[in-house]
Amino acid sequence: MSQLLPWAAFSALRAYSLSSRSRTWAALVFALSVVPLGVNLAQFFYGGTGGVNDPIYGCVATSTITINAYARYMLLSWSQTLHC
């Protein structure tokens, strides 16, 4: 997760230099660049992800999301790709 911060800072510096030193654009680019970090942290905070140490397969990812919520998420994400 900490790998996103250097890229966000670099992107913000690029936006700052290319937009004639506009701090507004730099702040906007930085804020949008750290959105994935916030999403990942929210998943860990709310317990959406986890893992189990299986003796045969090793570390296996688990999820506490219900089948109905997953189906709604997939339907929404699929419908968003059709509009683009």
Side-chain angles (χ1 to χ4, degrees), residues 15 19 24 29 31 38 51 60 63 76-77:
S19 65
T24 305
V29 167
V60 179
S63 178
L76 286 174
S77 64

Side-chain angles (χ1 to χ4, degrees), residues 23-80:
R23 290 184 183 176
T24 305
W25 282 109
L28 180 68
V29 167
F30 183 79
L32 291 175
S33 297
V34 295
V35 166
L37 178 65
V39 169
N40 291 338
L41 288 176
Q43 285 180 346
F44 286 118
F45 179 72
Y46 291 113
T49 60
V52 175
N53 190 6
D54 188 83
I56 297 172
Y57 298 111
C59 186
V60 179
T62 61
S63 178
T64 58
I65 191 169
T66 64
I67 296 295
N68 291 335
Y70 180 74
R72 278 188 254 137
Y73 168 75
M74 291 304 294
L75 181 64
L76 286 174
S77 64
W78 184 67
S79 66
Q80 291 299 323

